[in-house]
Amino acid sequence: MCGIVGYIGNKEAYPILINGLKRLEYRGYDSAGIAIYNGETAIYKCKGKVSDLEHYTSKKSLVGFVGMGHTRWATHGEPNDINAHPHQSMYGKFILIHNGIIENYSQLKKILEEKGYRFKGETDSEVLVNFIEYIYLQGKTTAEIAVRAALSKVIGAYGLVIMCSDEPEQLIAARKGSPLVIGVGDGEYFIASDATPIVEHTKSVIFLNDDDVAIIRKDELTLKTVKNDKIIQPTIHQLDLDVDEIEKNGFDHFMLKEIFEQPRAIHDTFRGRISLEKKEIHLGGLYNVLPRLVEAKRIIIVGCGTSWHAGLVGEYLFEELARIPVEVEYGSEFRYRNPVIYEDDIVIAISQSGETADTLAAIQLAKQKGALVLGICNVVGSSIPRETHAGVYTHAGPEIGVASTKAFTSQVTVLAMMAILLGKKRNVLSNERYEQLLTALANIPDKIEKILQNSEKVKHIASIYQNATNCLYLGRGYLYPVALEGALKLKEISYIHAEGYPAAEMKHGPIALIDENMPVVFIATQDKTYEKIISNIQEVRARKGTIIAVVSEGDTKIKEMAHHTFEIPHTEEELIPLLAVIPLQLLSYYIAVMRGCNVDQPRNLAKSVTVE
Ligand code: M6R
């Protein structure tokens, strides 16, 4: 949600900032802006994408060695030139870029208005920059003191960078609830809301913690907290990220690249964690909490969007393989409905980005209630891994397309490893079953590869349904969450209304929608509900619905009933979601491309949702 980039050093800031914004654009893309200091500070900002900003600045002379840039996903105030960041305070002393939400901005605004401040736009960020200036001018103090004093009065979340016209050779960065990473170069520093714009310059980074304030000059970084003037020693981490991981590498879109990366991503998720030779699953991040996990009376899984769908697959896995009762909750609902959480509960938070605000809030609540909280995250060093007691990284590599693809399959891979491991430790699984599952998991990447080789067939089906206005996705058992995920993929990138249902629920309502204009995607592989789902297919056929079915290799029965089928290889029933979701991802992708949609940056969305 909004991208932040900053630079201070001996190089021209503009190319670093504009390229950084392009890398960050997946976080928000409704307006963009830049501020560069060169004797005085020039600010350019406009509605639209980073390319619009680049076009707007192309004829300007933007030289200078200190600057910052922002790409926005609007919360307060519509996307327009005025609400775009950077924001400058009324008397011109401060310039700010901000990610997050200042919850008490209306109170602060009222105070400022009474003091004569006037506002150009509607953002909470503009209030904050003026509040900082107000304190600064009142106290005749330093920029750092004014920023820290202002932030101590702020309620809400922020990741921000500030420039002060009286101290121009300095950037101030602060974080609370919205991530900021500082890249440490040779006589230079980079600031960003995630590591993607930094990695091409340096791999040495400092992850700011909540309440940290960094005062940064080109050859000096001082770290303090909002409330405490004492200097803290920063910890420098080395990024495990390469530039080509954040490039499209010949693919038309990041989403397509990420779909095709899934064999490798899943392999990386279980690499070093499962050993067929030793018949072992080793999840280092859970080592210390394993005894508590084995004794678990209940697991609560929290997540949002695709991660929530992965959690639903997790529910089936833990209940079936380890016989542990599971509840799956949306982070956003969990936090507000006074849930019953026991001290011996295990809460598993799933998140690709590790920054989703609703999931983070659910974690905090679960911790307050004394539960053991585990994370399954992709982004190393993000907030969720730092907020949880233990966890497992998915190691899927950066996911840049707004629609989650490899995140889902790598999350399900981790959940499968956990469930199989617990099933073994709790003596639910026989040795034979345990080994079958382990082998099947190890074979998943090759099977996905085989599905991907057939992507042209999905493309053909997409060409037939590209103009659909509605679509139903139906599945049962392990394939019900896959139906939900297929529908989410289609609606978010192609803007076709799509809904997922457990197939048997169709007759309780959605069947009313079925006519010759309603494509119905059945995910109907040969598992224990196969015969049942065939009855559901008949029901759709009888009402002239069009049937597209994902079926098991060699299926003949459904082929006779469906208008189009797509075969996937056989595997253990528990692991079918890992295969069945792939054609659905491809279907959405091709339909969206054929409809001329911006696949990687769908309208109104952003990659990580760091606000409520
Ligand atoms: O980063 P997270 O996994 O926590 O993100 C959760 C959702 O915002 C995310 O899955 C979203 O639904 C995607 N756009 C789905 O493709």
Side-chain angles (χ1 to χ4, degrees):
M1 206 65 80
C2 303
I4 281 179
V5 61
Y7 176 76
I8 184 161
N10 295 316
K11 297 187 188 125
E12 286 294 347
Y14 180 77
I16 295 171
L17 298 177
I18 207 83
N19 288 333
L21 287 181
K22 286 180 192 163
R23 296 253 189 245
L24 287 170
E25 201 169 19
Y26 73 100
R27 299 179 71 96
Y29 33 81
D30 57 43
S31 51
I34 211 156
I36 295 187
Y37 172 74
N38 185 23
E40 55 187 38
T41 305
I43 302 176
Y44 295 102
K45 54 184 189 170
C46 61
K47 182 180 169 185
K49 303 209 173 244
V50 175
S51 55
D52 297 309
L53 176 70
E54 201 174 14
H55 183 250
Y56 175 43
T57 52
S58 59
K59 295 199 176 70
K60 321 271 180 207
S61 150
L62 273 166
V63 288
F65 308 115
V66 187
M68 59 194 189
H70 188 265
T71 173
R72 178 169 186 246
W73 184 86
T75 55
H76 294 64
E78 63 171 289
N80 61 26
D81 294 357
I82 292 174
N83 289 332
H85 299 217
H87 290 288
Q88 187 165 32
S89 56
M90 199 167 87
Y91 297 106
K93 290 285 178 198
F94 287 89
I95 298 167
L96 161 140
I97 52 176
H98 167 226
N99 185 7
I101 289 183
I102 306 302
E103 288 168 15
N104 59 338
Y105 85 103
S106 47
Q107 290 100 301
L108 300 177
K109 190 171 184 180
K110 202 158 163 252
I111 298 171
L112 291 170
E113 279 171 341
E114 279 162 12
K115 305 287 173 197
Y117 271 86
R118 293 292 167 261
F119 296 87
K120 296 180 195 143
E122 301 128 281
T123 68
D124 51 341
S125 314
E126 192 190 351
V127 174
L128 179 59
V129 74
N130 281 299
F131 187 56
I132 293 168
E133 182 184 76
Y134 168 67
I135 292 181
Y136 179 77
L137 293 176
Q138 282 285 304
K140 299 185 183 56
T141 177
T142 64
E144 175 210 320
I145 292 173
V147 168
R148 290 179 41 231
L151 293 182
S152 70
K153 304 260 182 308
V154 157
I155 300 170
Y158 52 79
L160 49 84
V161 185
I162 294 166
M163 296 167 86
C164 174
S165 59
D166 293 337
E167 299 167 47
E169 309 271 320
Q170 166 186 281
L171 295 172
I172 299 180
R175 168 202 162 126
K176 185 174 186 184
S178 191
L180 273 189
V181 187
I182 299 177
V184 184
D186 188 9
E188 59 184 355
Y189 289 96
F190 306 82
I191 308 166
S193 38
D194 66 47
T196 50
I198 294 179
V199 65
E200 62 205 84
H201 305 290
T202 174
K203 293 210 169 185
S204 304
V205 294
I206 299 162
F207 295 104
L208 289 194
N209 290 313
D210 274 353
D211 288 322
D212 278 355
V213 179
I215 304 100
I216 308 163
R217 292 172 164 264
K218 69 177 181 184
D219 39 21
E220 187 185 22
L221 180 145
T222 310
L223 193 60
K224 297 184 179 175
T225 64
V226 168
K227 298 225 168 84
N228 197 333
D229 194 41
K230 224 173 95 194
I231 294 175
I232 312 168
Q233 203 48 43
T235 311
I236 298 185
H237 300 262
Q238 291 304 310
L239 285 175
D240 182 18
L241 180 66
D242 287 317
V243 177
D244 64 347
E245 290 182 70
I246 51 173
E247 305 269 355
K248 285 191 200 140
N249 289 338
F251 285 90
D252 288 343
H253 297 96
F254 280 111
M255 182 179 176
L256 190 62
K257 176 187 171 225
E258 286 153 12
I259 292 173
F260 275 80
E261 274 175 349
Q262 287 176 106
R264 189 211 39 80
I266 293 177
H267 192 265
D268 285 352
T269 304
F270 66 61
R271 187 160 46 97
R273 290 169 167 167
I274 62 175
S275 157
L276 294 184
E277 233 170 65
K278 294 189 194 150
K279 302 183 177 58
E280 254 178 29
I281 299 181
H282 179 74
L283 297 171
L286 299 182
Y287 184 77
N288 291 332
V289 296
L290 202 53
R292 227 177 125 178
L293 262 177
V294 173
E295 295 302 319
K297 303 264 179 313
R298 179 169 76 147
I299 293 176
I300 302 171
I301 300 179
V302 291
C304 302
T306 290
S307 297
W308 183 78
H309 296 157
L312 286 179
V313 179
E315 175 179 24
Y316 286 73
L317 288 166
F318 284 119
E319 294 205 335
E320 178 151 342
L321 301 178
R323 305 303 296 151
I324 303 173
V326 179
E327 284 169 33
V328 187
E329 300 265 1
Y330 285 115
S332 52
E333 286 300 308
F334 187 72
R335 63 188 294 192
Y336 285 120
R337 67 165 184 76
N338 195 12
V340 177
I341 308 170
Y342 300 112
E343 286 192 358
D344 58 358
D345 279 338
I346 309 289
V347 173
I348 303 179
I350 306 180
S351 172
Q352 187 286 131
S353 61
E355 301 294 350
T356 301
D358 289 324
T359 309
L360 267 163
I363 290 171
Q364 274 137 17
L365 179 65
K367 276 167 69 181
Q368 277 164 26
K369 304 264 180 183
L372 175 71
V373 187
L374 311 177
I376 298 178
C377 285
N378 192 36
V379 179
V380 177
S382 58
S383 301
I384 291 178
R386 293 190 294 151
E387 284 290 325
T388 43
H389 297 116
V392 185
Y393 280 117
T394 48
H395 294 315
E399 190 182 69
I400 301 206
V402 164
S404 251
T405 51
K406 61 179 179 172
F408 176 79
T409 44
S410 59
Q411 289 163 350
V412 171
T413 302
V414 170
L415 289 162
M417 286 192 288
M418 287 175 74
I420 300 168
L421 176 66
L422 292 181
K424 178 79 183 359
K425 298 254 178 228
R426 288 165 64 92
N427 295 319
V428 179
L429 294 178
S430 66
N431 284 345
E432 194 193 350
R433 184 79 191 116
Y434 170 78
E435 284 168 35
Q436 271 169 359
L437 287 164
L438 221 55
T439 310
L441 189 56
N443 289 332
I444 290 289
D446 287 347
K447 294 187 176 180
I448 295 184
E449 205 71 72
K450 212 168 152 193
I451 297 173
L452 292 171
Q453 280 162 13
N454 253 331
S455 60
E456 284 299 315
K457 177 149 191 210
V458 184
K459 195 172 182 177
H460 172 68
I461 301 174
S463 69
I464 300 168
Y465 295 99
Q466 57 176 304
N467 294 320
T469 45
N470 293 290
C471 193
L472 262 186
Y473 284 73
L474 302 176
R476 300 187 75 147
Y478 285 96
L479 297 173
Y480 155 53
V482 175
L484 295 181
E485 178 59 8
L488 175 62
K489 286 297 84 93
L490 187 69
K491 73 183 111 185
E492 72 178 326
I493 59 169
S494 72
Y495 319 137
I496 295 174
H497 171 241
E499 287 191 61
Y501 269 95
E505 272 295 301
M506 179 185 66
K507 57 186 174 293
H508 298 287
I511 198 163
L513 295 168
I514 294 181
D515 62 13
E516 58 278 13
N517 300 316
M518 174 64 94
V520 184
V521 179
F522 277 95
I523 307 109
T525 54
Q526 284 159 349
D527 55 29
K528 52 180 173 288
T529 57
Y530 182 65
E531 293 302 331
K532 303 275 173 206
I533 208 162
I534 286 183
S535 311
N536 303 136
I537 294 177
Q538 300 281 22
E539 288 155 13
V540 172
R541 239 176 95 94
R543 286 154 186 90
K544 297 195 170 54
T546 314
I547 295 156
I548 303 160
V550 174
V551 296
S552 301
E553 223 165 34
D555 184 293
T556 50
K557 278 193 189 173
I558 296 181
K559 266 194 179 153
E560 280 173 16
M561 291 181 260
H563 297 83
H564 309 276
T565 52
F566 185 88
E567 292 187 16
I568 58 170
H570 290 267
T571 184
E572 297 298 330
E573 183 176 350
E574 294 83 348
L575 304 178
I576 292 180
L578 292 168
L579 304 183
V581 76
I582 311 290
L584 305 187
Q585 296 168 345
L586 287 167
L587 185 67
S588 317
Y589 170 77
Y590 289 124
I591 288 182
V593 172
M594 287 167 192
R595 287 166 74 94
C597 299
N598 187 338
V599 172
D600 284 335
Q601 295 171 352
R603 71 180 176 210
N604 304 339
L605 284 171
K607 183 65 183 163
S608 70
V609 185
T610 55
V611 293
E612 263 193 62

